[in-house]
Amino acid sequence: FGSLQNRVRLAELGVPTMILIADYQVLTDHDAFDKISQNTKQLVIDYLAAGINPEKQDVIIYPHSYVPEANQLMIPFLTLVSNAELSRNPTVKEEIQSAGLTNVNAGMYTYPVHQAVDILFCKGNVVPVGKDQLPHLELTRTIARRFNEKFCPKNPIFPEPQALLSKTPSILGLDGSQKMSKSRGNAIMLSATEDETAALIKKAKTDQDRNITYDPVNRPEVANLLMLISLCTKEAPEDIAAKIGMGGGGMLKKMLTEALN
């Protein structure tokens, strides 16, 4: 909802769009490199299933490893940032913590610089992202500015890209405690069958209060499930909560399952 839906919207509006499959970056925190080829294919299928149509839209989908030139900016970009800047990136810190990594490879710290390469090599100026990616995008803007000032002050090469957030810039996972993420095992895959989706939602965290209300501050888990229904149906989460009323978590999960499927 943060990235894919916005990409579909942009493509349908006729905006020239580059979609990257980050098959190199995944090496930074995953050991399952033997599955990268299959996962790359699955991601492309997800994009097509969501409404991206390269035959009719101005869209290019490509993996890192297919375009060597896309990675050649990495060295000059690394000279424009300090170790301290990379170490204090909050998204990188959170990824390291959530993955429980004790031996952190250098690729994890340079991940945001590689993302800057992804965005700037094609002169990207708008990036559909979730809220958690904003620190990365800010570093991309910094790198673009420093590159232009250092190497080409009279004729700047790179734009300073803007974030395109969705109405819901942050979605909790089904565990209700951290962002939804495949690597954290708290996500629902687009390719999940109806039964798999139902089984995952059955395990989703709610609370003890049977009366369903939309209260993101005091009832974050319930509010998150209501927001997911809202994103699917375009109905306000408050109205959905009013419909469910005393139907409790069971009715909430049933409605979410139907909406997602």
Side-chain angles (χ1 to χ4, degrees):
F1 292 109
S3 176
L4 244 172
Q5 202 173 51
N6 268 328
R7 288 181 197 278
V8 172
R9 190 163 62 90
L10 288 172
E12 286 174 347
L13 287 169
V15 176
T17 303
M18 302 284 276
I19 295 177
L20 166 79
I21 308 294
D23 60 345
Y24 275 171
Q25 281 176 352
V26 82
L27 292 169
T28 58
D29 62 345
H30 290 69
D31 289 328
F33 52 84
D34 54 328
K35 297 192 181 100
I36 288 176
S37 178
Q38 182 56 37
N39 289 343
T40 298
K41 183 180 174 184
Q42 188 57 54
L43 264 172
V44 175
I45 290 169
D46 285 349
Y47 276 113
L48 299 178
I52 292 290
N53 187 341
E55 289 184 351
K56 294 183 179 176
Q57 300 161 343
D58 192 352
V59 174
I60 296 171
I61 304 177
Y62 68 98
H64 267 151
S65 57
Y66 279 44
V67 188
E69 294 85 353
N71 303 288
Q72 287 179 344
L73 287 170
M74 191 70 176
I75 298 300
F77 279 10
L78 281 169
T79 68
L80 298 170
V81 293
S82 68
N83 282 339
E85 284 174 307
L86 297 177
S87 297
R88 63 173 175 255
N89 183 296
T91 309
V92 171
K93 280 184 184 175
E94 192 187 328
E95 288 293 334
I96 291 169
Q97 194 175 356
S98 71
L101 299 176
T102 49
N103 183 21
V104 184
N105 64 59
M108 179 63 93
Y109 288 107
T110 60
Y111 189 107
V113 181
H114 207 166
Q115 273 197 311
V117 170
D118 301 335
I119 296 164
L120 296 176
F121 113 94
C122 58
K123 310 245 178 110
N125 56 1
V126 173
V127 189
V129 289
K131 193 175 173 184
D132 58 307
Q133 294 293 313
L134 290 178
H136 287 346
L137 194 59
E138 195 48 51
L139 185 67
T140 299
R141 291 166 55 79
T142 300
I143 288 172
R145 193 162 52 247
R146 288 176 184 171
F147 187 99
N148 290 338
E149 287 169 356
K150 182 174 182 178
F151 298 114
C152 47
K154 291 182 180 174
N155 297 297
I157 289 176
F158 297 119
E160 291 184 32
Q162 303 294 323
L164 179 63
L165 292 166
S166 68
K167 286 179 182 173
T168 312
S170 181
I171 293 176
L172 290 176
L174 295 176
D175 54 4
S177 61
Q178 49 189 353
K179 74 171 184 178
M180 188 175 277
S181 164
K182 183 178 180 179
S183 60
R184 297 173 195 195
N186 64 1
I188 300 167
M189 297 297 109
L190 278 175
S191 57
T193 65
E194 292 194 10
D195 289 344
E196 285 167 345
T197 302
L200 285 165
I201 292 169
K202 208 168 266 184
K203 296 178 191 168
K205 199 172 173 191
T206 54
D207 58 31
Q208 299 299 314
D209 190 346
R210 188 166 178 76
N211 184 26
I212 299 301
T213 57
Y214 182 65
D215 184 352
V217 175
N218 299 308
R219 307 183 71 184
E221 299 95 349
V222 169
N224 189 54
L225 300 187
L226 286 166
M227 181 52 71
L228 283 169
I229 298 172
S230 172
L231 287 165
C232 294
T233 64
K234 306 289 188 288
E235 195 176 352
E238 294 86 352
D239 295 342
I240 298 163
K243 270 187 192 174
I244 298 169
M246 294 301 291
M251 190 171 169
L252 170 63
K253 290 179 182 181
K254 181 174 182 288
M255 197 179 277
L256 175 56
T257 302
E258 287 170 0
L260 278 175
N261 279 331

